């Protein structure tokens, strides 16, 4: 560490001044703990997103408050549009959507911080049906497929799912 000699104005004495120290880089243990916490928060947000989407879709409510709790844009807008369009066509989602997500990447140094998630969604029991008679909408039979999503840490510190894609051409 370099020391610099500075003469204080009017004091006639020299004082040793040290340059400011850089903050210590997080230790490997701290980094691992932070990454685990981010993974858990991101997976919780993903689970919340799936639950909120199923609930809002079943009610035909594109402005259900739970959506904005777990989703961020651009995905929030896409989900709201899909729910609104289904409702306009007299349809709603019903049934069970099974999920088995895992984290594929954690980027805490990016701005904003992100966590990438991969999932094998089982939509075989999840249907788009007509509200008036609960008949299945033709062409809406579910299957098992790969889905990907990105959780983003927002300025308020909460993790929300900001992007998502259903890769229905990629079975799992």
């Amino acid at each position: 560490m370099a020391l610099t000699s500075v003469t204080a104005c009017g004091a006639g004495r020299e004082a040793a001044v040290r340059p400011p120290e850089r903050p210590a880089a997080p230790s490997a243990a701290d980094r691992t703990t932070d990454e685990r916490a981010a993974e858990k928060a991101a997976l919780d947000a993903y689970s919340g997103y799936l639950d909120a989407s199923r609930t809002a879709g079943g009610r035909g409510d594109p402005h259900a408050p739970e959506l904005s709790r777990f989703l961020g844009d651009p995905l929030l807008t896409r989900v709201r549009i899909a729910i609104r369009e289904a409702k306009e066509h007299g349809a709603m989602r019903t049934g069970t959507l099974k999920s088995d997500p895992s984290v594929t990447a954690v980027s805490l140094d990016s701005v904003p911080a992100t966590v990438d998630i991969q999932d094998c969604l089982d939509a075989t029991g999840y249907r788009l049906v007509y509200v008036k008679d609960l008949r299945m909408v033709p062409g809406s039979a579910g299957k098992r497929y790969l889905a990907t999503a990105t959780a983003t840490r927002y300025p308020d510190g909460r993790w929300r799912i900001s992007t998502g894609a259903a890769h229905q051409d990629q079975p799992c």
Side-chain angles (χ1 to χ4, degrees):
M1 180 177 305
L3 292 178
T4 308
S5 191
V6 176
T7 304
C9 292
R13 295 184 288 176
E14 289 187 358
V17 177
R18 297 177 191 255
E21 293 188 25
R22 291 184 187 169
S27 71
D30 289 342
R31 182 88 179 151
T32 301
T33 300
D34 291 347
E35 286 179 358
R36 273 196 231 125
E39 288 177 8
K40 181 183 180 333
L43 289 172
D44 288 347
Y46 183 76
S47 176
Y49 146 59
L50 293 179
D51 289 342
S53 296
R54 281 191 301 261
T55 301
R59 291 192 318 245
D61 183 2
H63 296 289
E66 60 266 22
L67 291 173
S68 60
R69 182 173 170 207
F70 296 105
L71 283 90
D73 277 320
L75 186 58
L76 176 59
T77 298
R78 283 186 26 222
V79 168
R80 285 181 168 163
I81 289 170
I83 293 170
R84 187 188 75 228
E85 287 177 349
K87 183 178 181 179
E88 287 172 355
H89 290 97
M92 67 175 192
R93 291 271 175 199
T94 186
T96 304
L97 181 65
K98 296 178 185 172
S99 171
D100 186 25
S102 62
V103 170
T104 58
V106 177
S107 300
L108 296 179
D109 294 332
S110 63
V111 177
T114 59
V115 174
D116 293 332
I117 298 168
Q118 182 174 301
D119 195 0
C120 179
L121 287 176
D122 182 351
T124 55
Y126 193 54
R127 303 272 189 262
L128 185 62
V129 298
Y130 292 110
V131 174
K132 69 179 185 178
D133 59 12
L134 300 181
R135 274 184 313 121
M136 189 171 79
V137 173
S140 67
K143 57 185 178 181
R144 290 174 53 92
Y145 57 89
L146 176 70
T148 54
T150 299
T152 301
R153 185 170 49 207
Y154 281 75
D156 65 1
R158 295 189 65 177
W159 289 88
R160 292 180 180 89
I161 305 303
S162 57
T163 63
H167 307 279
Q168 293 188 10
D169 59 331
Q170 297 180 35
C172 54

